[in-house]
Amino acid sequence: MRIFVAEVCLRALRAILAPTRGSRRRPAAIQRLLVVNRLRIGDSVVTTPFLSQLRSAFPGTEITLLVKPPIQELFGNDPRIDVLVVQGLTKGRLDCRRGKWVPGFDAAVILDPTLRSGWIARRAKARWVAGYDSHARGVFLDARLQAPPYWNRHLREYRGRLKPMHQVEAWMKLGELLGLPPASGKPWLALSDADKLWAREKLPEDAGKRPWVGLHPGSDPAYRWEPERWAALAEALAVSRGARLFLTGGPADRELAAAILSKTKTPILDL
C-alpha cells in the first residue's frame, strides 16, 4: 500500500513538472555531457560499454562522470571521461578528482533511476536530462525509457517468470534517447601501472597459459547467489575452461567467501 501511494504521488509530481519540460528538447549539439552514476561496483563495471559508446559518438564532447565512493577507484584513469567528480559523504559536497567541475551541461544521462540522481542533474543545470524511469521516479527526466520489470526484484522471481536481458544491453539502450544507433560492447576498465604491477604479483601467469577468472559474489542479499551455486560455477569453470579462480570482495563479504571455499575442492585464491 505504501509503495502504491508513493508511486501515485510521484506520478502527480511528474504531471506538475511536465509543463516546465515542454521546451526542454534534446540539444542539436552536445558540447558538455554529464553522466550521473550512483550505482555500486558491479553495476558500474557493466556501464563501461555505454561510456565507450558515448565517447565514440561524441569525440569532441567534454564528458563528466559523477559517482559515489568508492566507485571513483574504477574510473581514475579512464580515457573515456574528461572530468571525474565524487559525491561526498557530506550533503551537497562534490570532490573533483579529474578536471574541473563546472555546472551548466547541454545534456545529462542518469544511470540509476532515482529521484536523487535526477535532482543532481537539475542542480547541475543540465538543459536536458534522460534516463530510465522506475516506479515513476523519473520526474526530473525530459526523455525516458521504462525500466525493465525485473529491476530490483528478488532472485526467486526470476525463475521461470522473468526473462532479463544482459545489463550491458540495458545500459546501451539509453543511447537511443541520444539518437545513437544500436550498439554492443564488452566491459573494460582502464588500469594504471600500479594496478598492473599488483595484478602480476597476485595473479602470476603459468606455463599452460590458463586464464584467470574472478568471482565477485557480494551483492544485495535479495538477489545474491547461494554459496553452493558459486562453488558449482567455480568447478564448472575449472573443468570446462581450465580456469584459475580468485575471489574478490570487501570486509563484509568474508563470511560469504569462506562459505564458498568450504563448498568446493577447486582451488580458489581468496583476495
Side-chain angles (χ1 to χ4, degrees):
M1 182 63 181
R2 290 180 181 176
I3 295 176
F4 173 77
V5 172
E7 189 164 332
V8 169
C9 292
L10 289 172
R11 291 188 185 280
L13 179 59
R14 187 167 68 186
I16 293 170
L17 291 174
T20 70
R21 298 198 305 267
S23 61
R24 291 171 58 95
R25 302 188 182 279
R26 189 180 72 214
I30 299 177
Q31 300 299 319
R32 303 187 68 230
L33 175 64
L34 171 65
V35 179
V36 180
N37 170 15
R38 298 174 65 249
L39 299 165
R40 292 183 248 187
I41 293 175
D43 291 321
S44 294
V45 170
V46 293
T47 66
T48 56
F50 178 60
L51 291 180
S52 298
Q53 183 189 29
L54 292 178
R55 177 47 72 202
S56 178
F58 304 107
T61 295
E62 179 190 88
I63 298 178
T64 296
L65 179 65
L66 186 148
V67 300
K68 292 198 307 182
I71 305 304
Q72 71 273 14
E73 303 298 335
L74 298 178
F75 298 102
N77 301 285
D78 201 307
R80 293 165 288 199
I81 62 174
D82 303 290
V83 180
L84 177 62
V85 181
V86 184
Q87 182 185 6
L89 299 178
T90 304
K91 185 177 180 180
R93 179 181 176 183
L94 296 177
D95 180 13
C96 198
R97 294 298 180 91
R98 277 174 54 190
K100 184 178 181 181
W101 170 256
V102 179
F105 296 89
D106 298 307
V109 179
I110 307 301
L111 296 185
D112 59 306
T114 63
L115 285 170
R116 177 65 176 164
S117 290
W119 178 243
I120 287 172
R122 286 299 182 96
R123 289 293 302 273
K125 299 180 180 179
R127 293 167 50 200
W128 180 82
V129 183
Y132 276 108
D133 187 358
S134 176
H135 301 293
R137 296 173 187 159
V139 295
F140 297 110
L141 300 178
D142 301 292
R144 60 177 55 79
L145 292 177
Q146 187 58 45
Y150 53 84
W151 277 11
N152 297 322
R153 304 291 287 272
H154 196 283
L155 184 61
R156 63 174 176 269
E157 298 186 45
Y158 282 69
R159 296 169 185 167
R161 283 183 279 182
L162 296 173
K163 296 182 179 180
M165 70 178 78
H166 196 286
Q167 197 58 36
V168 168
E169 183 181 350
W171 295 128
M172 298 294 273
K173 285 181 69 66
L174 283 176
E176 297 176 5
L177 300 178
L178 292 162
L180 306 183
S184 60
K186 294 182 178 180
W188 64 270
L189 297 172
L191 303 179
S192 66
D193 290 339
D195 293 330
K196 295 175 183 178
L197 177 60
W198 182 91
R200 283 194 292 267
E201 292 175 349
K202 297 289 186 179
L203 310 172
E205 295 185 4
D206 69 354
K209 300 295 182 181
R210 294 179 299 155
W212 281 104
V213 176
L215 303 178
H216 186 78
S219 69
D220 188 301
Y223 28 85
R224 178 187 297 162
W225 274 11
E226 296 297 327
E228 293 82 359
R229 287 175 172 256
W230 284 107
L233 175 62
E235 292 171 3
L237 289 169
V239 172
S240 65
R241 305 289 184 178
R244 293 177 294 167
L245 304 160
F246 63 92
L247 280 170
T248 63
D253 300 317
R254 287 172 180 160
E255 184 177 343
L256 176 59
I260 294 170
L261 294 173
S262 71
K263 300 293 183 180
T264 179
K265 295 181 180 179
T266 300
I268 303 178
L269 177 62
D270 186 3
L271 297 178

